[in-house]
Amino acid sequence: MTAPSDWKTRLAVHYTDATGDHEISPIQSFTPTFSTSAEPIHSIERTHVGVVFNPQSLTFSMTVSAIGDTAAKLTALALVGQRFDIALQEQTGSDWSFSTIVLKDCVITSAGPTSATISGTPQAQFSGFSMHVESTGADLTKTVSPPQSGS
């Protein structure tokens, strides 16, 4: 019988701008999305004779509690269109498949606060895209996408 897995890893999300490294806390959720799309090439003689690869899409969304100054700092980055890096990494534990995922040259494309209520904290949702991503696996294998010239 296989022993059950216990998830004991806590992830930390940081962003780096011109003033240094900042932890995004408290954070409710962070969702990076990496998509590669391709479509088959067909001819009148036969199907699937080749493939056309479309550009990769590297997007993210995050929800942060609007307490402290994290939401204000992210809003300021969005308003001035400043590029920044987001790092998702293990804070404690070693259960995760990756050591780090770094979204580089990120730009926030939308920001939306929730309404204030009498219970719970207000939240702010941020969405954007990344120009590059670098990941390091638990086995220290490094991957860069999209491939950079000279790589």
Side-chain angles (χ1 to χ4, degrees), residues 15-125:
Y15 74 91
T16 304
D17 62 10
T19 63
D21 186 53
H22 311 277
E23 184 171 352
I24 299 173
S25 180
I27 186 166
Q28 303 302 316
S29 68
F30 179 76
T31 309
T33 304
F34 314 105
S35 64
T36 57
S37 58
E39 57 187 88
I41 298 172
H42 305 292
S43 79
I44 57 173
E45 295 90 22
R46 63 186 182 109
T47 62
H48 298 86
V49 296
V51 64
V52 174
F53 291 96
N54 296 317
Q56 295 175 333
S57 173
L58 309 167
T59 61
F60 66 89
S61 65
M62 69 176 100
T63 304
V64 299
S65 294
I67 57 176
D69 62 352
T70 298
K73 287 179 180 178
L74 290 171
T75 300
L77 291 173
L79 289 173
V80 298
Q82 181 176 340
R83 292 182 183 191
F84 60 98
D85 297 343
I86 299 175
L88 183 62
Q89 61 193 26
E90 290 175 328
Q91 186 173 25
T92 59
S94 60
D95 302 311
W96 197 36
S97 301
F98 296 96
S99 171
T100 61
I101 294 179
V102 180
L103 281 70
K104 297 195 159 276
D105 293 325
C106 296
V107 176
I108 294 175
T109 57
S110 67
T114 61
S115 55
T117 62
I118 58 170
S119 65
T121 61
Q123 298 180 354
Q125 173 82 31

